[in-house]
């Protein structure tokens, strides 16, 4: 709060002051001290007048209008009246003899009440000058009183009584009090009923301790309120609001109570405002504030929230303390007097006056001080002291004007101190209602006219430089006006908005509105204007654009008092409208696909008593009652903050901010929001807004960001279109507003686009209507497409009509015409014109049409026609099935070769069977793959069991097998019947049949591997009963009863011996039971019957039990026996099989076995080589065999004879001689074949010891040069692997193996051998050259632990 002035007079020093503000206006304050005068000051502290009195002033009061001040003084019976309007003092004789003590004007009329020290009363009517003296009203001094609104007068006196009199001075009521009264006030106390009695209560304080409330109609009906002792005495109290009382107590307490019956006596608020003492309280309802003073401070409270102290004023110089506190009626000024005789006046509320031009503001900062600032551009403020308290302020680019009544003072703004020059003051022809400035001109509105004149014109040019509007008086009174850089706008009560070009003062545009125009607000350039009319509607006018001249503003509140355009360079289309509580943001969308429009963006709350002066980029600068400005950020621009500040606290939702940014056309900010946290839907919203505002390039970027490829491609396609309507049409279509798109297309230079759009949307009705207007040649094609749609939804009548309309008499459109004819055919059939439809379908080249028409006819139960069409369209299955439905078997028979559907064949077969044509029926059943029926017909009707059996075997049909089984039963062919019963899975029946007819062997053979354990057991038990031990054992073994099986096998007579023993070995092998094993070994050794069995059985038993070492030993024994008996191939095979088995089980092979196998194999190779004529290899093998001749006792002589002959042939004369000499031994000599004896004897007699040296090759282990046929390396002592083709030792670089037995061979020799032989010499498996692969790395075959060394 600002101190306006301080009054201090030497004459007043040291005493308290009596002072009164002028009522209503508050322009004057009358002050009386201890000297004999009353001084009158204006509201700026200038002394205005002085009344000299005969004695000290004891009382004064202003009348209700503030025109007359009445004063009474000590030592005088006169009343002094000072008239404020003429500054004159007059004097009235009261006619009272005693001293006057009290004076008070009525609240409603020109009545003045004066009381005296002796209790007398005078009522003076200032209008009629009538005086009514009332003697003896009280017995002692009248000290206080109050007028009511009903003109009743309540008086309090030192005689402890309260009287209520009427305006004539007659006492109406009187009551006695317990002490001296003070502070009498009339008020309205609230009761529960809303009574309209007016001021029904008188309140007063008694002895400054208690507060009494009386009912004016019944003084005995009283309420006495007492307070806590420590509060001190009641200093003063004030009524306010809805029956509340604010009371100040001497000890500094500040208390509020309510007088509602329910709450009476309750303290609603209590605070100790001052530490030591409180002197006075005051209330101003105009500014809604309460004040208290005490110690040396004043505290100001808001009435709406008493806890809030809005201001504290410290008066540090006033050490004696403060005294009385009073507001002016308008609450602008607050006066406080002090104990030391000074008076301080503070400004509590300034008139909110201000103006702006561009970003520059001018506003009232004190009663006589105007501040000019430009915060946006960062200029330092200029403070101008003005001469009068202004009622208006106008701001221009270079000037400020202030004024009141009919005068205006002009100031030019300059660089340098103090920042302004006073130019001049001008008197106008009437009281100025408002004023506007631009760079050169001022326009003042007074009494319905606007005066336009130069601000800095020369005097002689004044006439030229001034003009009054309107020129024609009959055009109505001007209510409002505004001035921009180039134009003067004014609005009249007749509803005209006129635009005048300032340069040549000519009217440029005039717009007529239906009702009077109250206010006009042009934007900075003057190209757009918002006006408010008498019905409180808001409208936007674009005088430059005739087509879209006037829009009503949406959501326009009737309380709106003003409009501000945004001064930010980029926001030219944004403005706000404001009332006392809120600011409403609007945006003009100049270019949209919907045309220009104004949208309401949102509202922002305003704080109490703030007036907006300037809007710049969403920041609103407001002027406050305290003479300052404050910044308000519009909630509609909250997205700007989000982009720049990382705010604390809750953020508005992104989607809300995005919507605001888009409404304000802030697309780049919207994109920034989306980049920071936007989802795909947010991007889509931005893209949609870009489309609405026809921002195609930006929309492409946005849709790229949201990955909407289709939209990007569509927009790129329309980028180059210049025609705005066509472009807007495309955009409206992309947005799905098709009706708008059509209107835009039709108003563009390419109306056919509307037709194309309707066709693409399949909206055929609209398309046809457009085609009639725009492109008649398209009607047939649209008709056809429409017909297809109508057919789909089942409107066949119209579909037929449109198909017929779609025909074109031009051979170039054959495909189109065929589609139409097809439609006509389908629709004719649908409509019941079957002959026409069918005929058209048959003529038509399309197969599919025939199928469609056939299906329609079939659904209509027109079977013969449907079948005909199917047949014509080569849909034989469908045709046949329809012919069957109408029982046309002849036709079905004709079509059968073309039919693939089994169902149709089946139906035909059934029909033929019913007719007794069984052969045809069987054939048809076979085509239908119904095998059971084929078998049934073959057996029952055609007596062809062979065919039936063949089919059963091929198809494995269970039911068929049953039928065949029944047929054979009828013929008593039991084995066949059993066979087919098993095939049909009727095992129990087959078993019973086998049992009855002794065919169990047959059953057992047939049942094979499919049988269950139970089946095997029942067969075994049957054979047991029949004493057929071999079979019984076999089936007991199959069902896992090994003990019983073995018992039966061992019981078998010797004829079955071999098989029985084999089976017994297999059983024991499966059982793995030691007792059974021992039982069988005893049997084989002959323990049980004294007849040892062949050793091979023992070998097989060991093999079955996987006792491979025992088996190997047995195998060697068996081989030796076979060898002795001369069965060399058997011995070889036994050893070979044992060798491979041991290898498979990864068991070491005994050396004896390996050696035996090698010698036997060498023997077998002799025949191979000799047969091939390779005598050298044969001879070498015979040498190896002859060197071990003891192993071949049965054929010693023949082997040695062959060795002699072959060695001789091969040139190994020395070896031949050696073996010949051996043959000459007496035990062999006589056994030599006579054919060769002479030759051998001759060899011995004439020995030839020449010998072909054996070639040497490398040992594969150590690389030592070793004779080819030597198998033991003398260097590394390893047994060298031998080649199964030649018997020689193996070579690393010539290695291969037999793919069956994996025995090694020399690759080169094996290939030669296989040219004549077809089997492997070791395992006798069939082989070809292709199967032999050379092995480059043979290291895996050279591991020496394979043999038992």
């Amino acid at each position: 709060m600002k101190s306006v002035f301080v009054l201090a007079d030497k004459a007043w020093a040291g005493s308290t002051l009596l002072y009164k503000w002028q009522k209503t206006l508050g322009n004057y304050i009358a002050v009386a001290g201890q000297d004999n005068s009353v001084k009158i000051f204006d509201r700026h502290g200038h002394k205005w007048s002085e009344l000299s009195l005969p004695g000290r002033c004891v009382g004064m009061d202003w009348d209700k209008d503030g025109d007359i001040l009445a004063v009474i003084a000590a030592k005088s019976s006169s009343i002094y009246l000072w008239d404020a309007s003429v500054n004159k003092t007059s004097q009235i004789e009261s006619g009272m003899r005693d001293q006057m003590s009290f004076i008070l004007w009525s609240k409603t009329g020109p009545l003045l009440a004066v009381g005296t020290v002796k209790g007398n009363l005078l009522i003076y009517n200032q209008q009629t000058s009538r005086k009514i003296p009332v003697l003896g009203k009280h017995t002692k001094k009248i000290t206080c009183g109050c007028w009511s609104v009903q003109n009743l007068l309540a008086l309090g006196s030192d005689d402890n009584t309260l009287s209520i009199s009427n305006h004539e001075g007659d006492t109406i009521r009187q009551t006695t009090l317990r002490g001296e009264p003070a502070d009498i006030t009339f008020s309205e106390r609230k009761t529960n009923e809303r009574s309209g009695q007016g001021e029904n209560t008188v309140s007063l304080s008694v002895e400054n301790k208690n507060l009494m409330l009386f009912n004016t109609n019944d003084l005995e009906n009283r309420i006495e309120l007492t307070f806590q002792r420590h509060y001190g005495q009641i200093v003063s109290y004030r009524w306010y609001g809805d029956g509340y009382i604010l009371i100040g107590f001497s000890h500094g307490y500040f208390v509020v109570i309510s007088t509602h019956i329910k709450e009476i006596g309750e303290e609603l608020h209590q605070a100790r405002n001052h530490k030591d003492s409180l002197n006075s309280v005051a209330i101003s309802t105009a500014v809604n504030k309460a004040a208290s003073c005490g110690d040396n401070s004043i505290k100001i409270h808001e009435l709406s929230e008493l806890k809030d102290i809005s201001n504290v004023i410290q008066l540090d110089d006033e050490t004696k303390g403060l005294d009385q506190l009073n507001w002016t009626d308008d609450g602008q000024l607050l006066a406080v007097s002090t104990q030391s005789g000074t008076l301080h006046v503070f400004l509590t509320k300034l008139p909110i006056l201000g103006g702006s031009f561009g970003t520059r503001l001018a506003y009232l900062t004190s009663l006589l001080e105007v501040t000019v600032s430009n915060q946006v551009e960062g200029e330092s403020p200029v403070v101008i002291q003005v001469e009068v308290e202004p009622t208006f302020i106008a701001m221009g680019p270079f000037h400020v004007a202030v004024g009141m009544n009919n005068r205006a003072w002009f100031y030019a703004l300059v660089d340098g101190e103090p920042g302004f020059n006073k130019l001049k003051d001008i008197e106008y022809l009437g009281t100025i209602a408002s004023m506007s400035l631009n760079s050169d001109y001022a326009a003042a509105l007074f009494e319905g006219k606007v005066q336009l004149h130069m601000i800095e014109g020369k005097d002689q040019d004044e006439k030229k430089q001034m003009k009054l509007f309107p020129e024609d008086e009959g055009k109505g009174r001007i209510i409002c006006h505004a001035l921009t850089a180039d134009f003067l706008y004014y609005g009249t009560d007749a509803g005209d908005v006129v635009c005048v070009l300032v340069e040549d003062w000519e009217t440029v545009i005039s717009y007529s509105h239906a009702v009077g125009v109250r206010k006009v607000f042009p934007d900075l350039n003057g190209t757009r204007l918002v006006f408010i009319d008498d019905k409180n509607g808001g409208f936007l006018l674009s005088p430059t654009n005739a087509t879209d001249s006037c829009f009503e503003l949406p959501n326009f509140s009737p309380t709106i008092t003003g409009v501000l355009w945004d001064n930010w360079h980029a926001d030219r289309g944004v403005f706000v409208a404001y009332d006392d509580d809120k600011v409403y943001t609007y945006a003009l969308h100049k270019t949209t696909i919907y045309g220009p429009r104004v949208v309401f963006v949102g509202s922002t709350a305003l704080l109490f008593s703030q007036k907006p002066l300037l809007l710049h980029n969403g920041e609103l600068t407001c002027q406050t009652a305290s003479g300052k400005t404050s910044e308000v950020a519009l909630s509609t621009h909250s997205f700007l903050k989000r982009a720049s500040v990382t705010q604390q606290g809750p953020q508005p939702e992104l989607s809300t901010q995005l919507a605001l940014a888009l409404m304000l056309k802030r697309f780049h900010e919207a994109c920034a929001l989306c980049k920071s946290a936007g989802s795909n839907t947010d991007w889509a919203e931005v893209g949609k807004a870009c489309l609405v505002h026809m921002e195609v390039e930006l929309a492409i970027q946005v849709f790229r960001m949201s990955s909407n490829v289709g939209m990007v491609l569509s927009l790129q396609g329309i980028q180059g279109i210049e025609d705005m309507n066509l472009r807007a049409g495309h955009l409206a279509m992309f947005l799905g507003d098709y009706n708008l798109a059509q209107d835009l297309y039709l108003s563009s230079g390419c109306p056919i686009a509307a037709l194309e759009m309707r066709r693409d949307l399949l909206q055929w009705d609209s398309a046809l209507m457009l085609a009639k207007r725009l492109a008649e040649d398209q009607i047939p094609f649209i008709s056809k497409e429409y017909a297809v749609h109508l057919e789909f939804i089942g409107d066949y009548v119209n579909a037929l009509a449109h198909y017929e309309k779609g025909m074109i008499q031009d051979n170039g459109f054959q495909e189109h015409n065929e589609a139409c004819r097809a439609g006509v055919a389908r629709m004719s059939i649908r409509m019941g014109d079957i002959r026409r439809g069918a005929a058209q379908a048959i003529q038509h080249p399309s197969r599919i049409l025939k199928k469609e028409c056939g299906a329609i006819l079939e659904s209509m139960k027109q079977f013969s026609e449907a079948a005909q069409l199917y047949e014509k369209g080569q849909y034989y299955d469908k045709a046949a099935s329809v012919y069957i439905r109408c029982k046309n078997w002849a036709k079905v028979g004709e079509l059968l070769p073309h039919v693939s559907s089994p169902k149709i064949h089946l139906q035909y077969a059934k029909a033929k069977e019913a007719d007794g044509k069984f052969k045809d029926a069987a054939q048809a059943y076979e085509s239908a793959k119904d095998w059971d029926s084929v078998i049934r017909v073959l057996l029952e009707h055609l007596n062809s069991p062979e065919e039936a059996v063949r089919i059963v075997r091929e198809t494995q049909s269970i039911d068929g097998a049953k039928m065949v089984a029944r047929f054979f039963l009828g013929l008593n062919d039991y084995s066949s019947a059993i066979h087919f019963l098993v095939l049909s899975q009727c095992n129990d029946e087959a078993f019973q049949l086998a049992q009855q007819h002794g065919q169990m062997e047959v059953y057992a053979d047939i049942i094979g591997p499919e049988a269950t354990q139970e089946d095997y057991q029942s067969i075994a038990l049957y054979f047991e009963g029949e004493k057929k031990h071999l079979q019984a054992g076999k089936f007991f073994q199959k069902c896992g009863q090994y003990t019983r099986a073995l018992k039966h096998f061992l019981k078998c007579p010797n004829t079955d011996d071999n098989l029985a023993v084999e089976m017994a070995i297999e059983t024991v092998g499966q059982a793995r039971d030691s007792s059974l094993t021992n039982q069988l070994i005893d049997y084989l050794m002959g323990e049980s019957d004294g007849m040892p069995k062949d050793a091979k059985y023992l070998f097989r038993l060991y093999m079955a039990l996987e006792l491979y070492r025992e088996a190997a030993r047995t195998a060697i024994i068996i081989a030796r026996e076979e060898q002795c008996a001369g069965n060399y191939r058997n011995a070889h095979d036994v050893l070979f099989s044992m060798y491979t088995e041991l290898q498979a089980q990864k068991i070491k092979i005994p050396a004896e076995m390996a050696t035996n196998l090698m010698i036997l194999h060498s023997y077998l190779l002799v025949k191979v080589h000799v047969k091939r004529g390779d005598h050298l290899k044969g001879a070498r093998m015979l040498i190896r065999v002859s060197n071990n001749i003891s192993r071949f006792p049965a054929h010693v002589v023949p082997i040695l004879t062959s060795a002699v002959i072959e060695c001789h042939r091969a040139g190994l004369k020395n070896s031949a001689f050696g073996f010949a000499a051996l043959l000459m031994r007496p035990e062999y000599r006589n056994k030599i074949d006579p054919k060769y004896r002479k030759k051998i004897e001759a060899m011995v007699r004439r020995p030839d010891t020449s010998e072909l040296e054996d070639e040497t090759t490398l040992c594969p282990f150590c690389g030592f040069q070793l004779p080819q046929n030597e198998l033991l390396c003398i260097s590394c002592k390893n047994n060298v692997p031998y080649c199964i083709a030649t018997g020689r030792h193996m070579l690393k670089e010539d290695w291969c193996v037999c793919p069956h037995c994996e025995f090694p061979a020399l690759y080169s020799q094996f290939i030669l051998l296989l040219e004549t032989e077809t089997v492997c010499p070791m395992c006798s498996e069939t082989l070809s050259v292709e199967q032999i692969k050379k092995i480059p790395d043979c290291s895996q075959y050279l591991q020496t632990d394979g043999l038992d060394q």
Side-chain angles (χ1 to χ4, degrees), residues 90-135:
S90 53
Q91 194 175 340
I92 298 161
E93 272 305 319
S94 65
M96 295 285 187
R97 296 291 167 85
D98 49 342
Q99 178 72 49
M100 283 181 278
S101 60
F102 164 81
I103 187 165
L104 191 67
W105 284 97
S106 161
K107 289 178 186 173
T108 54
L111 299 175
L112 182 64
V114 184
T116 70
V117 180
K118 291 188 178 169
N120 301 323
L121 173 69
L122 170 73
I123 293 177
Y124 168 68
N125 186 326
Q126 204 254 330
Q127 239 171 5
T128 59
S129 303
R130 179 180 171 214
K131 298 176 195 161
I132 305 172
V134 183
L135 301 176

Side-chain angles (χ1 to χ4, degrees), residues 707-743:
S707 312
N708 188 338
V709 182
M711 194 57 103
V712 172
L713 291 172
S714 304
L715 288 170
Q716 283 174 341
I718 67 163
Q719 237 175 330
I721 293 175
E722 297 286 325
D723 183 333
M724 288 308 275
N725 281 337
L726 182 57
R727 196 177 219 198
H730 286 312
L731 295 174
M733 179 173 70
F734 297 158
L735 287 168
D737 192 341
Y738 303 117
N739 293 342
L740 173 65
Q742 176 170 319
D743 295 344

Side-chain angles (χ1 to χ4, degrees), residues 33 41 75 245 304 425 687 704 737 788 877 923 993 1092 1112 1161:
F41 300 87
K75 304 176 189 167
I245 303 177
S304 51
D425 61 314
R704 269 207 189 108
D737 192 341
V788 172
D877 287 20
Q923 236 170 356
L993 193 62
H1161 187 66

Side-chain angles (χ1 to χ4, degrees), residues 1-2 311 350 352 363-366 609-611 613 621-630:
M1 273 169 82
K2 221 170 190 179
N311 236 314
L350 263 179
I352 299 186
Y363 52 95
L364 201 60
T365 44
S366 181
S609 80
Q610 288 201 343
K611 181 189 171 200
L613 281 183
T621 306
C622 296
Q623 186 181 358
T624 64
S626 59
K628 297 194 179 78
T629 59
S630 69

